[in-house]
Amino acid sequence: MGKSTQDLQQKVCQKYGWSYHYNKDTSGQWYVEVVAGMNIDNKYRFTSPNDNSSLQKGNKCLTKKQKDQHDKAEKEIVSAMALEGLAPQIAHEEAKNCSQLSEIFPNPIQIYDSMNRQGVNIWKKFWTNPPQVVGIDTEGNQTSPPVLVQISTPEYTILEAPPKHKTLSSNLTRLLRDNTITKIFCDNGSHADKVALGMDLPSSDLSEYANPPIIDLEVLSGKLFGVTKVARGLAKIVSMSMPELSHVRIAKPRGTSQRFKNIGRFALIEQGKARPLRGVDDLSEREQQYCALDSWCTLQAYLSIRRRMMGEEDGAGMVGVGGAGL
């Protein structure tokens, strides 16, 4: 891989969550197509100026190594063209303030423990007037059930800490099986959250996760705005999907931050190296808010994408939007 090709793919597209696609047009000329952000109108194509028509006709004379070298050189040419042509868009991204999810959404989320008395009452409220869509996330998803499950509605988040080696609560199991409620995930390619929750994955075609009753933001964003080689991740999808955050680029924190301490604790629990949670109360208020934020942002990002796709006004607000899904 040449330097320009690597820079375009890793230092630009992967960094900002943009999609890219290399191919040849009908005349045999190489091009790269880049979708800069979650707007299909921001699609840019850069085509090699080299005339490859004669090469196309006589390519049987080339060895595989020669053909690979030629294709690599052509990709390098169009990648360099893209870097130059996208310079204004790249400069715009670099000028954005870099923030974390917790800084963008600092207001405390209303949290309920699925297992205590308040949790029993909130589940009753939940089923009395079921939301049409919820955001779901897990912590410690290398075991089944996971160490913690977060379920967010626009008004509140329910946290459930399943007892070790036991099943999910009847309410959570009912929710996962209820096809009238759309469940939103932001899972990576392994779909570890869904697997940890005991959900059956399609045998081959995961594109069904772009439609209710189960929607994965990674799959949905790939279908709408172009597939990426590396998962975009929740932080990028949130900042790209919400017009009101156009001045901000949300990134995961680096270093020994509280976020990584939280992740480390859940990893130790799932590995059997730390005591299992006896309940949500084993988590500090800060840890509870950290966990709830992921599922809440998953829900909000989906609602924002849906509004944009359905042509709803930006001023409609981020909470309490109706509808069963895209």
Side-chain angles (χ1 to χ4, degrees):
M1 184 185 297
K3 183 179 186 306
S4 293
T5 305
Q6 185 174 16
D7 285 351
L8 177 64
Q9 294 181 15
Q10 298 179 6
K11 294 184 178 181
V12 175
C13 292
Q14 183 176 329
K15 182 178 182 179
Y16 307 138
W18 297 355
S19 67
Y20 64 88
H21 174 66
Y22 294 92
N23 207 343
K24 297 178 185 177
D25 61 19
T26 54
S27 65
Q29 289 177 287
W30 274 95
Y31 68 85
V32 63
E33 200 168 68
V34 178
V35 178
M38 284 197 168
N39 189 337
I40 204 65
D41 294 333
N42 293 339
K43 181 186 289 186
Y44 304 89
R45 177 180 286 200
F46 303 90
T47 304
S48 171
N50 296 333
D51 182 3
N52 296 312
S53 57
S54 60
L55 181 64
Q56 285 291 107
K57 294 177 182 178
N59 61 6
K60 292 183 180 180
C61 299
L62 294 179
T63 65
K64 183 179 184 303
K65 182 177 180 180
Q66 289 173 324
K67 186 176 183 301
D68 289 345
Q69 289 175 338
H70 172 267
D71 290 347
K72 179 180 178 180
E74 287 296 297
K75 286 184 177 180
E76 183 72 0
I77 289 171
V78 296
S79 296
M81 294 172 63
L83 290 171
E84 182 178 356
L86 292 170
Q89 289 78 11
I90 294 172
H92 176 70
E93 286 293 328
E94 288 299 315
K96 293 181 177 180
N97 295 323
C98 193
S99 302
Q100 301 174 21
L101 286 173
S102 58
E103 295 170 337
I104 300 298
F105 305 106
N107 294 334
I109 298 169
Q110 180 64 58
I111 293 174
Y112 295 96
D113 183 342
S114 176
M115 302 298 193
N116 65 16
R117 184 181 297 275
Q118 282 190 323
V120 171
N121 291 333
I122 203 65
W123 277 116
K124 288 181 180 179
K125 176 183 177 181
F126 183 98
W127 292 116
T128 299
N129 184 23
Q132 294 177 319
V133 59
V134 296
I136 298 180
D137 186 53
T138 72
E139 305 296 337
N141 59 16
Q142 299 306 301
T143 60
S144 183
V147 176
L148 189 75
V149 187
Q150 305 96 274
I151 310 102
S152 286
T153 75
E155 290 81 28
Y156 55 84
T157 292
I158 300 173
L159 300 183
E160 178 163 318
K164 188 177 181 181
H165 305 312
K166 293 189 178 181
T167 60
L168 303 172
S169 70
S170 58
N171 282 301
L172 180 50
T173 301
R174 177 183 173 184
L175 169 61
L176 295 175
R177 294 175 178 173
D178 191 330
N179 288 339
T180 67
I181 301 175
T182 300
K183 274 77 69 177
I184 313 299
F185 291 83
C186 190
D187 231 343
N188 57 26
S190 68
H191 298 275
D193 285 349
K194 304 180 194 69
V195 172
L197 291 171
M199 304 173 73
D200 295 327
L201 300 181
S203 57
S204 57
D205 186 11
L206 296 175
S207 63
E208 68 178 62
Y209 285 148
N211 299 289
I214 301 172
I215 292 179
D216 191 308
L217 293 182
E218 293 286 0
V219 178
L220 178 61
S221 63
K223 181 177 181 179
L224 293 176
F225 314 111
V227 177
T228 55
K229 303 298 182 183
V230 179
R232 286 183 167 99
L234 179 60
K236 289 191 183 76
I237 291 177
V238 168
S239 58
M240 294 167 67
S241 64
M242 297 183 177
E244 59 269 38
L245 299 180
S246 60
H247 63 293
V248 175
R249 178 157 49 90
I250 304 175
K252 291 182 178 180
R254 298 182 180 275
T256 56
S257 66
Q258 183 65 35
R259 178 181 185 277
F260 285 87
K261 292 178 182 177
N262 292 335
I263 291 176
R265 178 180 182 183
F266 293 120
L268 290 174
I269 292 174
E270 69 185 0
Q271 294 166 11
K273 297 178 181 179
R275 186 183 66 185
L277 298 179
R278 294 168 297 182
V280 173
D281 285 344
D282 273 1
L283 299 172
S284 68
E285 177 64 25
R286 184 173 183 177
E287 288 174 322
Q288 292 181 33
Q289 288 294 324
Y290 153 77
C291 296
L293 185 61
D294 278 355
S295 57
W296 188 85
C297 285
T298 296
L299 174 61
Q300 299 303 329
Y302 168 71
L303 295 177
S304 183
I305 292 173
R306 187 178 67 181
R307 284 198 300 275
R308 295 174 69 177
M309 293 300 99
M310 296 177 67
E312 295 181 19
E313 295 182 1
D314 290 343
M318 292 167 53
V319 176
V321 179
L326 285 173

